[in-house]
Amino acid sequence: MVESLMLSRLDIVALAIYLSVWVVHALAANGHIVRRVSLTTAMNAQRLAWMRTMGRRELRMIDTSIMVGLQQGTAFFASSSLIALGGCFAILRGSDNVLAVVSDLPLTDPPSQQLFEMKVFGLIAILAYAFFKFGWSYRLFNYCSILVGAVPMHKDSLDNPAELEAAIERAARMNMLAGAHFNAGLRGIFFSIAYLGWFLNPLVFIFTTLLLFAVLLRRQFFSEARRVALGEEGSMAVRQ
């Protein structure tokens, strides 16, 4: 059994590339290792702008509706992660049948049953990580709703604008934290797709990892959505 669980050198290289890409993308998206503004960073600035606008509004039904929408989206992905986890456990129960199907696929190096199950447990760990990130994000959005409700009305804080500003910044920071955990969970879902390449062979695993990395980098640093968030000229070009 120990020998059947031994990874080849190429498996180890592919797994190292996968984990490195995950960490590098997370750091880059959060603005830690590159100077170029990412879509995530740009949207954090918009979250702060939203809270400042909310602080000047007398009626805040619009803001509470937005918060409800954010919570519903987070709950959807959390429940989807649970469903995917259930599917992984179903694969473990029927591993013999799944291995028979995988062995017939092209570009496949048929693994031992023990190695296959180890890979499935790795996928379970990724999906569980995503679920906990979504669950914590949902709770933080709840906290953000409370902080939004605690922001004093603009007309009532004319004598103490510092109190209003502090309340706005608390709500904005909580919203950014909730968004950061949501993005981490979504990143886990994306990387679980790339992880599926490992069930074929390590070379396919490396290819799916690098392909996903290229797609995510484009969306974070070179997409139309980033240009819109930054308000760059030409981002709203209309094709007739």
Side-chain angles (χ1 to χ4, degrees), residues 20 26 44 74 136 150 153 163 168 175 179 190 209 213 230:
S20 300
N44 281 338
T74 306
W136 184 237
M153 293 295 179
E163 179 185 359
I168 289 173
N175 197 291
F190 289 152
T209 299
F213 189 41
L230 291 174

Side-chain angles (χ1 to χ4, degrees), residues 199-211:
F199 288 93
L200 297 179
N201 67 51
L203 290 177
V204 176
F205 188 23
I206 294 173
F207 173 76
T208 55
T209 299
L210 296 179
L211 178 62

Side-chain angles (χ1 to χ4, degrees), residues 155-172:
K155 64 180 181 180
D156 297 332
S157 57
L158 295 177
D159 296 333
N160 191 3
E163 179 185 359
L164 174 62
E165 183 64 22
I168 289 173
E169 289 186 0
R170 280 196 300 270

Side-chain angles (χ1 to χ4, degrees), residues 20-211:
S20 300
V21 165
W22 192 330
V23 172
V24 168
H25 177 266
L27 293 174
N30 292 321
H32 294 304
I33 59 176
V34 293
R35 292 185 178 180
R36 186 176 177 84
V37 178
S38 67
L39 176 59
T40 297
T41 303
M43 287 308 301
N44 281 338
Q46 294 300 322
R47 291 176 191 270
L48 179 58
W50 167 28
M51 290 300 151
R52 292 192 188 282
T53 303
M54 177 272 300
R56 297 192 297 268
R57 267 197 282 263
E58 296 299 328
L59 300 177
R60 296 173 180 171
M61 287 82 75
I62 295 175
D63 308 292
T64 55
S65 297
I66 296 173
M67 292 300 304
V68 169
L70 292 173
Q71 290 174 327
Q72 288 178 345
T74 306
F76 168 78
F77 280 105
S79 59
S80 299
S81 300
L82 278 181
I83 293 172
L85 278 170
C88 288
F89 283 108
I91 289 175
L92 285 175
R93 292 189 62 183
S95 58
D96 293 335
N97 295 330
V98 177
L99 272 173
V101 174
V102 172
S103 300
D104 293 335
L105 296 175
L107 305 177
T108 302
D109 298 330
S112 65
Q113 183 170 353
Q114 290 80 11
L115 183 58
F116 175 80
E117 291 176 352
M118 184 198 73
K119 292 179 180 180
V120 174
F121 276 115
L123 184 59
I124 289 173
I126 294 171
L127 293 173
Y129 166 83
F131 169 74
F132 280 109
K133 283 295 183 180
F134 288 131
W136 184 237
S137 175
Y138 185 88
R139 191 168 186 177
L140 291 181
F141 277 127
N142 282 335
Y143 292 158
C144 183
S145 299
I146 296 172
L147 292 178
V148 167
V151 175
M153 293 295 179
H154 185 267
K155 64 180 181 180
D156 297 332
S157 57
L158 295 177
D159 296 333
N160 191 3
E163 179 185 359
L164 174 62
E165 183 64 22
I168 289 173
E169 289 186 0
R170 280 196 300 270
R173 287 199 301 270
M174 188 65 73
N175 197 291
M176 291 178 192
L177 281 173
H181 285 278
F182 177 83
N183 289 335
L186 202 58
R187 192 178 299 116
I189 295 294
F190 289 152
F191 274 88
S192 70
I193 306 278
Y195 185 89
L196 296 177
W198 200 13
F199 288 93
L200 297 179
N201 67 51
L203 290 177
V204 176
F205 188 23
I206 294 173
F207 173 76
T208 55
T209 299
L210 296 179
L211 178 62

